Amino acid sequence: MARFDFAFFDSGVRFDSPDASPTSMRTLTYYLENPFDAPSISMAELLAFSTDHLQRMTANNSGGELSARITATSQALVVVEDCVTDDQGKLGLRKARKQAKDNLRTTLPAAVAKLVAAVVAQYGDGSPEVTECVPQGRTIFSTCRDDQVAPNLQTLVNGITAHQATLGAPLVAAATNLLNAWTAVYSASESSTGAKTTSQEGKRLARENLQLMLFLNLLKLAEMFPRQPEKLALYMQQHLLENPSSEEEEEEPTPEPPAPPPTP
């Protein structure tokens, strides 16, 4: 029977479960270790995981709660990508940057609509305050060229900031994070693709920073989805960090029975 309505962490049961009587508790310091620092993770695996993870965060960020983490991760990933000298690898990374930008562009109208809805709720649809935030209407974020997205987002940020006293600081932060996220992925997509010479120390520091960003993302997801481990697969694909499992050894062939002795 569960005591004090408490489920021990990693016990596999909830506080209201009749089986919530753990026999042991995992050491808490374990959760402060960064799993992305594992030496077994290759650079190729780290990049594959990070690119996929960034796209998943972007595609599942309708509320804007992950915008700050998307920006930080994008910036860290760009630095690591620039340390990769393999031409074929860089080609794939350029495609990944463009895909990350395209993914965010797809989700942008919905994210903007949520911000504008808060302004409408306060001042009414068609009010001067709404026009100040989106003078060309909300559809501009679906129709304008990529290079015009940032100016339109900046206008939205400026409009919300001008009425912060009424709309509140959280809405200003959400709009700013959306602008920063777009700036990061757009800049990465448009950045020069030329190879850069980077010292081994610089490469190590860049990789360690990306690993730290991934760890902070994991902690943020834990904050967003406590006691919901099934949600993690929506944002992180752990198998991309792991070596493919070795094929099972083939069974030895069954020896053929000996030939019968010749008849006399």
Side-chain angles (χ1 to χ4, degrees), residues 44-90:
E45 291 167 340
L46 183 67
L47 289 173
F49 175 87
S50 301
T51 301
D52 178 82
H53 168 54
L54 184 59
Q55 293 169 2
R56 287 172 177 273
M57 282 201 300
T58 302
N60 297 281
N61 185 41
S62 58
E65 193 169 356
L66 290 170
S67 295
R69 298 307 319 150
I70 290 172
T71 300
T73 307
S74 297
Q75 293 170 346
L77 182 57
V78 167
V79 176
V80 174
E81 289 171 349
D82 286 338
C83 294
V84 178
T85 57
D86 179 74
D87 290 339
Q88 187 59 37
K90 279 191 172 291

Side-chain angles (χ1 to χ4, degrees), residues 119 122-123 127-133 155-169 171-172:
V119 183
Q122 187 66 42
Y123 297 103
S127 63
E129 290 81 5
V130 172
T131 302
E132 183 180 355
C133 293
T155 299
L156 176 61
V157 171
N158 293 343
I160 293 176
T161 303
H163 302 282
Q164 178 174 342
T166 303
L167 297 173
L171 194 66
V172 175

Side-chain angles (χ1 to χ4, degrees), residues 77-151:
L77 182 57
V78 167
V79 176
V80 174
E81 289 171 349
D82 286 338
C83 294
V84 178
T85 57
D86 179 74
D87 290 339
Q88 187 59 37
K90 279 191 172 291
L91 175 61
L93 293 172
R94 289 196 296 271
K95 291 181 178 179
R97 289 181 181 182
K98 184 178 185 303
Q99 185 175 353
K101 184 259 296 181
D102 291 342
N103 286 345
L104 180 55
R105 183 67 196 269
T106 300
T107 62
L108 199 60
V112 169
K114 185 172 183 178
L115 296 173
V116 176
V119 183
V120 171
Q122 187 66 42
Y123 297 103
D125 199 10
S127 63
E129 290 81 5
V130 172
T131 302
E132 183 180 355
C133 293
V134 281
Q136 300 185 69
R138 281 160 274 192
T139 58
I140 190 65
F141 294 95
S142 301
T143 59
C144 71
R145 301 193 310 268
D146 284 348
D147 59 359
Q148 293 301 307
V149 171

